[in-house]
Amino acid sequence: MIREIVQVGDPVLRRKCEPVTRFDRELCALLDDMKETLKAAEGAGLAAPQVGVPIRAVVVDVEEGYFEFINPKFVWQKGEQYGAEGCLSVRGKAGDVLRPSKVKIIFQDRNGDRYSLVARDFFARAICHELDHLDGVLYTDKAENVRPAE
Ligand code: CO
């Protein structure tokens, strides 16, 4: 089911999200809906608070594939990249953000199993953007030149 994407101004986007503790049917339904919502919106990533659920879960859809990260945490961040971002919760805008060029995260999948992953370039950028959402941070807080998207 496609869910409505919350827009900037809604306080749920500014909350520090709670860790996921129950890897149950409800979580699976949420993740399935987030995947469908992200694909329909043709975005690179979507965080649970963007569909109004303040828990630590994100989905990312990039060249490397489709990923679900539950309770993700950075292990390290290396290098720098500067480039354009947008956000499905900040429609019609873009801005350039400085991000690490390479990151390592640990996370759980929808079954609660633990993994680690190294990402670089745009994949790393997407992860950083989505993990910020879990702490109530929007890219517009970090971008120097938020502008109308082309
Ligand atoms: Co976003």
Side-chain angles (χ1 to χ4, degrees), residues 56-148:
R56 304 190 80 81
V58 309
V59 298
V60 171
D61 190 17
V62 289
E63 247 180 57
E64 288 83 353
Y66 169 77
F67 297 85
E68 297 174 348
F69 301 129
I70 317 301
N71 298 328
K73 281 182 191 145
F74 289 110
V75 178
W76 48 250
Q77 310 181 29
K78 292 179 182 170
E80 289 185 344
Q81 58 173 322
Y82 187 68
E85 291 183 23
C87 179
L88 295 173
S89 293
V90 190
R91 291 223 185 261
K93 291 192 173 161
D96 295 313
V97 186
L98 184 66
R99 299 284 192 188
S101 54
K102 200 174 171 188
V103 300
K104 181 175 183 179
I105 59 167
I106 52 170
F107 61 96
Q108 288 169 278
D109 68 4
R110 58 167 69 195
N111 302 312
D113 294 327
R114 291 169 195 280
Y115 297 89
S116 68
L117 174 129
V118 174
R120 62 190 75 213
D121 304 326
F122 186 75
F123 191 12
R125 174 178 297 283
I127 287 172
C128 292
H129 178 115
E130 296 314 322
L131 266 62
D132 271 352
H133 273 298
L134 303 182
D135 292 320
V137 175
L138 300 175
Y139 85 93
T140 47
D141 302 338
K142 297 181 166 181
E144 286 164 16
N145 56 345
V146 178
R147 58 191 182 264

